[in-house]
Amino acid sequence: MLDIVKEIGKKKEELIEKISNVKDNKDIEILKSEYIKKFLGSLYKELKNIEDISLKKELGKEINEFKNFANEKIEILKDNFESKRNFNKYDVSIFKENIKIGCSHPLIKLYKKIENIFVSMGFSIVQGPEIELDKYNFEKLNMPSHHPARDMQDTFYVTHPNILLRSHTSSVQVRTMEIESPPIQVISPGTVYRVDDIDPQHTPMFYQVEGLMVGEGISFSNLKAVLIKLLKEVFGTSIKVRFRPTYYPYTEPSAAIDMSCVECGGKGCRTCGNSGWIVVLGSGMVHPNVLEGVGYDSEKYTGFAFGLGLNRLALLYYGLGEIRKIYENNISLWKQL
Ligand SMILES: [Zn+2]
């Protein structure tokens, strides 16, 4: 009897040692067969041969204890292996064919290009709200109520007359100047809204990039240099750029900027309405009323501002033809651009 108890103790120690060396399920099966089937089987046989009831009871207790011990250890081992195997199911290195990979939207790609050009010239990026107060969208941009220029942009009102969806990113100019002192050199990208029917050239929501540079001695030459650099870096050095006098209430003088048509090289085609030129930007020197309105001394500080329609620029840049194509989520087309 004592020998058997000793043997059980020895087997326990052996089992613990072997468990620490188990490498796979096959090893677990070997342990099960060796310790549960064979060794326990032999113990039960021994038990049968014992006639002394109290001895039989005592040995039975020892055997049961070993049985529970071995079963529990092997069960834990199996669980550990199972969870490891489940984890291994997600092998990230396995190659899967035909996975559809997305890509950046062409507007974003073009915007990033434009942003990089401005950042390289020392501009920083600012943003403002899309739901805007009338005073930032119109009033402080030299367009008090009943100013006829307000009709140039058909506006969506949230609560008439004070809260609206911004009709241009120029609102961010005022917000920036209110909290910062010159020199200022910023661009502000974002969505703008105007009441418009959807047609090949118009959508009621589109993207603008606004720019503003204010400081001492800023002149129209600075405006020209910055915007010519922008257009030539985006469309190539062979394009021609011209500045045409126009009217905006918030700039004086104001200039519309035309670029030679990228489709026909200036010869005249459908895209440029046979003129050879395409309007790409609105710009001008910031109106003294706007500067005074935010507390700047317009005798000391001057500046220029400009706005470009990203959607229109994207049509020309990618040769898309229709503005609606920008919103069609045609990933296979985007990947070619
Ligand atoms: Zn053309």
Side-chain angles (χ1 to χ4, degrees):
M1 159 72 193
L2 204 64
D3 283 352
I4 298 175
V5 176
K6 259 190 186 167
E7 181 70 8
I8 290 176
K10 220 175 97 191
K11 286 280 180 190
K12 261 189 181 175
E13 279 172 26
E14 235 182 67
L15 179 61
I16 290 170
E17 204 189 314
K18 285 196 176 173
I19 279 175
S20 63
N21 293 324
V22 162
K23 288 187 187 67
D24 51 30
N25 272 326
K26 215 172 131 194
D27 288 347
I28 298 177
E29 289 308 314
I30 292 171
L31 285 186
K32 260 170 103 176
S33 139
E34 196 173 322
Y35 290 87
I36 294 175
K37 248 182 167 177
K38 279 189 198 158
F39 182 60
L40 264 177
S42 71
L43 287 177
Y44 284 125
K45 255 185 203 164
E46 298 260 8
L47 192 65
K48 257 187 188 172
N49 296 333
I50 292 171
E51 286 175 355
D52 184 326
I53 300 283
S54 67
L55 211 60
K56 207 172 183 159
K57 215 174 162 186
E58 213 174 304
L59 186 61
K61 218 174 121 191
E62 290 285 340
I63 293 174
N64 258 338
E65 207 182 288
F66 179 81
K67 189 179 134 192
N68 292 339
F69 171 83
N71 273 329
E72 192 191 341
K73 290 286 174 199
I74 289 173
E75 248 352 272
I76 291 171
L77 197 62
K78 269 172 76 181
D79 281 353
N80 285 347
F81 261 79
E82 199 59 34
S83 54
K84 252 190 201 166
R85 210 176 49 201
N86 282 341
F87 181 73
N88 287 343
K89 260 198 239 169
Y90 306 101
D91 181 353
V92 290
S93 66
I94 290 173
F95 178 73
K96 167 88 171 69
E97 277 184 88
N98 303 325
I99 293 176
K100 286 185 179 168
I101 298 170
C103 62
S104 292
H105 193 277
L107 275 183
I108 297 288
K109 277 202 271 191
L110 178 60
Y111 169 69
K112 283 288 165 196
K113 191 179 174 81
I114 289 170
E115 186 186 272
N116 285 338
I117 295 166
F118 281 114
V119 168
S120 77
M121 288 192 274
F123 284 77
S124 48
I125 322 294
V126 290
Q127 291 198 313
E130 288 172 35
I131 297 174
E132 189 53 284
L133 295 171
D134 176 277
K135 72 169 177 176
Y136 291 117
N137 197 77
F138 289 127
E139 207 179 310
K140 283 179 173 260
L141 285 164
N142 201 29
M143 284 182 280
S145 52
H146 307 300
H147 191 290
R150 285 184 175 222
D151 298 337
M152 287 165 74
Q153 299 168 2
D154 283 323
T155 311
F156 285 111
Y157 281 89
V158 177
T159 316
H160 197 271
N162 290 323
I163 301 173
L164 45 82
L165 296 181
R166 68 178 176 192
S167 57
H168 50 189
T169 38
S170 309
S171 51
V172 188
Q173 278 185 32
V174 183
R175 285 181 173 274
T176 306
M177 287 192 285
E178 270 191 351
I179 54 170
E180 283 182 36
S181 310
I184 286 178
Q185 200 177 349
V186 294
I187 60 163
S188 172
T191 343
V192 300
Y193 304 84
R194 290 183 199 176
V195 180
D196 240 334
D197 289 331
I198 296 176
D199 68 22
Q201 299 303 327
H202 298 90
T203 48
M205 182 205 84
F206 55 99
Y207 295 88
Q208 273 193 340
V209 179
E210 185 79 12
L212 176 71
M213 189 166 175
V214 180
E216 285 184 64
I218 301 293
S219 70
F220 202 87
S221 307
N222 300 116
L223 180 158
K224 283 180 78 174
V226 165
L227 296 177
I228 290 173
K229 180 180 163 65
L230 167 75
L231 292 172
K232 296 217 167 198
E233 285 213 12
V234 174
F235 290 99
T237 46
S238 60
I239 58 142
K240 292 191 190 79
V241 180
R242 72 178 185 189
F243 292 75
R244 214 162 18 87
T246 190
Y247 170 76
Y248 302 114
Y250 29 91
T251 45
E252 179 58 39
S254 305
I257 301 171
D258 299 340
M259 180 179 82
S260 54
C261 177
V262 283
E263 291 281 312
C264 62
K267 290 190 194 83
C269 68
R270 211 172 136 232
T271 304
C272 57
N274 286 320
S275 70
W277 294 96
I278 294 173
V279 192
V280 283
L281 283 148
S283 68
M285 298 305 290
V286 180
H287 198 290
N289 289 354
V290 176
L291 295 173
E292 295 289 337
V294 293
Y296 288 3
D297 179 355
S298 64
E299 295 288 320
K300 189 176 174 189
Y301 297 113
T302 48
F304 67 83
F306 59 88
L308 68 84
L310 196 61
N311 301 48
R312 263 184 72 77
L313 220 60
L315 285 194
L316 299 171
Y317 184 72
Y318 297 112
L320 284 175
E322 287 190 17
I323 223 154
R324 278 179 294 196
K325 286 194 178 165
I326 286 174
Y327 298 106
E328 279 172 1
N329 284 333
N330 187 345
I331 290 183
S332 55
L333 173 63
W334 298 160
K335 280 184 180 173
Q336 293 163 29
L337 299 176

